[in-house]
Amino acid sequence: MKFSTIVIGDELLIGQVTDTNSGWIARHMAPLGWEPLSVRVIADDAAQIKLAIDQAFASTDLVLMTGGIGPTKDDITKQTLLSYFGGEMVLHEQSRRNVDEMFARRGIAMNELTAQQAMVPSSCQVILNEVGTAPIMWFERGNKVLVSMPGVPHETRTMMERAVIPRIVKRFHSDVDVEYRTMVVIDYAESALAEKLAPLEQQLPSYIHLAYLPEQGIIRLRLTGTHASHEVLNADMDRISQQLHKILGNCIIADADKPLAQIVGERLRKHQLTLSTAESCTGGNIAHKITEIAGSSDYFMGSVVSYSNDVKHRVLGVDQTVLDTCGAVSQPVVEQMVAGACNVCHTNCAVATSGVAGPGGGTPDKPVGTVWMAARVGDVTVSRCHHFNGSRAQIIDRATTHALIMLLHLL
Amino acid sequence: MKFSTIVIGDELLIGQVTDTNSGWIARHMAPLGWEPLSVRVIADDAAQIKLAIDQAFASTDLVLMTGGIGPTKDDITKQTLLSYFGGEMVLHEQSRRNVDEMFARRGIAMNELTAQQAMVPSSCQVILNEVGTAPIMWFERGNKVLVSMPGVPHETRTMMERAVIPRIVKRFHSDVDVEYRTMVVIDYAESALAEKLAPLEQQLPSYIHLAYLPEQGIIRLRLTGTHASHEVLNADMDRISQQLHKILGNCIIADADKPLAQIVGERLRKHQLTLSTAESCTGGNIAHKITEIAGSSDYFMGSVVSYSNDVKHRVLGVDQTVLDTCGAVSQPVVEQMVAGACNVCHTNCAVATSGVAGPGGGTPDKPVGTVWMAARVGDVTVSRCHHFNGSRAQIIDRATTHALIMLLHLL
């Protein structure tokens, strides 16, 4: 089945903000068998909104609309929907209470603009916005459906998963439940993982779909299921999750969608370990990724970014002779770097990197993209050499991801 | 004047890749008086492409189209344009030579798919793609113009600036030249800058437009000029640039669009200075930004990410008594941290940060967002306290930018 997406917002049209909602929607509708026919980005303008709805309804039965309904927006979208679908503006009591409570929790007084948010056309069915103030409006005309949602990505995404997608499923697929499971997988290329899981995929019930979302060294596996019985679906999803764990073992590093640095942090916390990093070519990016996670100061003590050989030698204690004979990008150097990081920062775990991020500095022996890395947990140290492709930024990113994966294997 | 944008590509529609070309186009057409009426993202599908062109031509005279014409694409877009605008497929000799030369330079053999790239509908005028293999096609029908460009962002952007925008100006604004100047400005809020420049803006010739592109502590000022005489325009642009320099003085930190870390790096290189960082709340992000710049190993020696007080004291030499009495987020601590960084990494410049990135860890005295930072060049140390709003990620980003700006003031 095909649907259309309409994205409303001057700020998006003039290029001040980039629309990422339409892509998210497409990725999350796909497992249910829905394909986008087109995405239109238009201004907060009544004539343009009306035209876009006309054109979208002309070719699809379902139109998903984001934006144009925030508290700081002119109320153009809502007025246009009122005149398009008919009725009058009415107060939606539950949304009003929701707005009141939200403001009370934040301890702010509510202004008139925000109070207006609970007013909706009587022609729509309201879906309560549990994470924001603008109600979600569900309109029907004959066999056509239009859903108007806020543009704030976090609100759109949360409410799509919690309420809009289940309702679409109910409306278009009869009365069924929809469930998701996400797992984070390492140590597989997408094609190898697909091959490994082919037998399982062939046995999947028709109402459960498995999607591969690869992203630089990591693949997110996402199960989407739709079924009339919540109990049957849940039991199936549990069973398939267990099968995936049996097939992939330790390669599944998390049963929810979370950043790699958070998964590493949770393991460290669980085993009451502390971490430091010694970074050359990654230039502090590993420390940055780790400290992006709230609460990381519980297990992360610090880092020595040893960009110069002088800092490698003096601060981390890497042998000058080894630096001179093997070069900075070498196995003994990264192994001494992890030991040095543990020493200097008083930690029992560390990761280290030394490589050629480019575009300059490559040699026939050690071309751009060559990165030595080491990880240490307690007395165990492992090291290996990677050869990454791509730009300087991509090589830094890839080295960062693989250093964290290397550490994870020891935890 | 209004134009429409059509973005072609299955990968964009299904949300695998996010379209950033349409925003770039909007931002760069605006100074010339062009506003986008709508952006449509559609699949590589003949019927959809034809429909999108019909709908775009129905309301605008200019349609800018990106994507759907790469070597790995099916030739759907080109065939659809041929059937829409008429003519027959012909070889464009110059594009063929361009493709040949590009492949010869890269030392790769050309395959049949790529050779096909030089075939274009006879109904179009070709604009040579100087940075890629897919020719840019300019179609006219009555007073309507459609320009088909490749979807690779770097190709679209380079060729829009070099050839497509000048040609649009010529076609719609008569025979004129178009010129740009960009400056990077610090220490101004957008509104304060607009107020300061209001007298200059009032005196700007009608053919020169000044745009403000703010981005976290930095504002990019962009002059766009269009005039029949290249000489007159160049002289005007030079004069206005000089006036801007006279009004804004040292607040203009660069006369071209480049990242802050690159501007800092160029100053360090020019004065033959070396840099290190001592980071607490920024967690290595300053070092990461600096080392993203190619060649930064010439002036950047390293960093100590001192997330624990223990590392601040032992590695950077911050007084334990000062840590105990003033707390880690304090002026004396960041001042001792920059001194420590210079000592440990053997550099003559350093920056340091210590703050509360949140969401936890705030106190009534030092709420989330409180960040002390210091910069040191030679014997001169400056320090100050900032209070940033936003999420943990935003606070880390803002502290990073302001620490680099603080250093720049001393260079």
Side-chain angles (χ1 to χ4, degrees), chain B residues 261-283:
Chain B
Q262 185 181 342
I263 300 169
V264 168
E266 287 170 1
R267 296 266 180 103
L268 290 166
R269 198 191 295 272
K270 184 178 149 200
H271 299 299
Q272 294 190 293
L273 294 167
T274 53
L275 177 66
S276 59
T277 73
E279 308 185 43
S280 191
C281 68
T282 48

Side-chain angles (χ1 to χ4, degrees), chain A residues 49-335:
Chain A
I49 294 171
K50 196 185 163 304
L51 180 68
I53 300 175
D54 278 341
Q55 290 177 350
F57 270 164
S59 44
T60 50
D61 289 344
L62 174 63
V63 178
L64 298 177
M65 185 181 259
T66 69
I69 55 171
T72 60
K73 289 275 182 181
D74 294 319
D75 210 18
I76 294 168
T77 302
K78 231 190 269 180
Q79 287 297 339
T80 307
L81 291 170
L82 177 70
S83 84
Y84 198 97
F85 291 97
E88 53 186 342
M89 279 294 185
V90 293
L91 177 71
H92 187 251
E93 290 288 352
Q94 203 188 356
S95 290
R96 177 60 195 250
R97 277 196 304 277
N98 180 45
V99 173
D100 284 347
E101 284 166 22
M102 217 163 263
F103 273 68
R105 268 203 304 277
R106 295 182 198 161
I108 351 176
M110 184 161 49
N111 59 22
E112 199 34 47
L113 266 181
T114 311
Q116 285 288 328
Q117 296 242 271
M119 299 296 293
V120 297
S122 56
S123 45
C124 82
Q125 298 161 53
V126 172
I127 296 175
L128 187 71
N129 183 347
E130 296 161 20
V131 290
T133 51
I136 291 152
M137 294 170 285
W138 176 288
F139 294 91
E140 301 207 6
R141 173 183 281 183
N143 61 341
K144 309 271 182 190
V145 171
L146 180 144
V147 191
S148 161
M149 299 176 279
V152 184
H154 141 76
E155 295 183 23
T156 322
R157 291 164 199 203
T158 305
M159 292 314 300
M160 276 285 292
E161 286 215 327
R162 281 196 203 165
V164 178
I165 288 181
R167 190 157 181 159
I168 289 169
V169 168
K170 219 168 186 168
R171 170 66 174 70
F172 287 90
H173 310 246
S174 77
D175 198 358
V176 295
D177 182 42
V178 52
E179 295 280 327
Y180 308 101
R181 302 283 164 95
T182 303
M183 289 167 211
V184 183
V185 178
I186 55 171
D187 295 340
Y188 273 96
E190 190 183 357
S191 54
L193 186 61
E195 208 179 311
K196 183 87 174 178
L197 299 181
L200 177 133
E201 278 205 83
Q202 274 160 18
Q203 289 167 25
L204 280 186
S206 62
Y207 49 88
I208 294 182
H209 177 90
L210 180 65
Y212 297 75
L213 309 166
E215 187 198 324
Q216 214 201 90
I218 282 180
I219 299 172
R220 286 179 166 74
L221 277 183
R222 195 179 155 87
L223 285 170
T224 306
T226 47
H227 196 276
S229 155
H230 176 72
E231 286 67 35
V232 170
L233 187 55
N234 243 326
D236 277 340
M237 296 287 262
D238 284 346
R239 183 178 47 81
I240 296 161
S241 298
Q242 283 162 18
Q243 287 175 334
L244 283 167
H245 272 277
K246 213 166 162 185
I247 298 168
L248 299 173
N250 288 336
C251 297
I252 295 179
I253 57 168
D255 275 307
D257 191 0
K258 37 180 107 158
L260 184 54
Q262 186 181 339
I263 300 168
V264 169
E266 287 170 0
R267 297 266 179 104
L268 290 166
R269 198 190 294 273
K270 184 178 150 200
H271 300 298
Q272 296 190 293
L273 294 167
T274 54
L275 178 66
S276 58
T277 74
E279 307 186 43
S280 190
C281 67
T282 49
N285 195 40
I286 303 176
H288 169 57
K289 291 290 175 199
I290 292 165
T291 57
E292 273 187 326
I293 306 301
S296 49
S297 57
D298 291 347
Y299 47 80
F300 182 68
M301 296 302 120
S303 168
V304 175
V305 179
S306 53
Y307 228 52
S308 71
N309 281 352
D310 179 51
V311 172
K312 287 184 189 76
H313 170 58
R314 278 187 312 98
V315 184
L316 289 171
V318 176
D319 277 350
Q320 190 60 52
T321 330
V322 170
L323 280 168
D324 293 340
T325 51
C326 306
V329 181
S330 66
Q331 183 164 23
V333 166
V334 289
E335 292 191 350

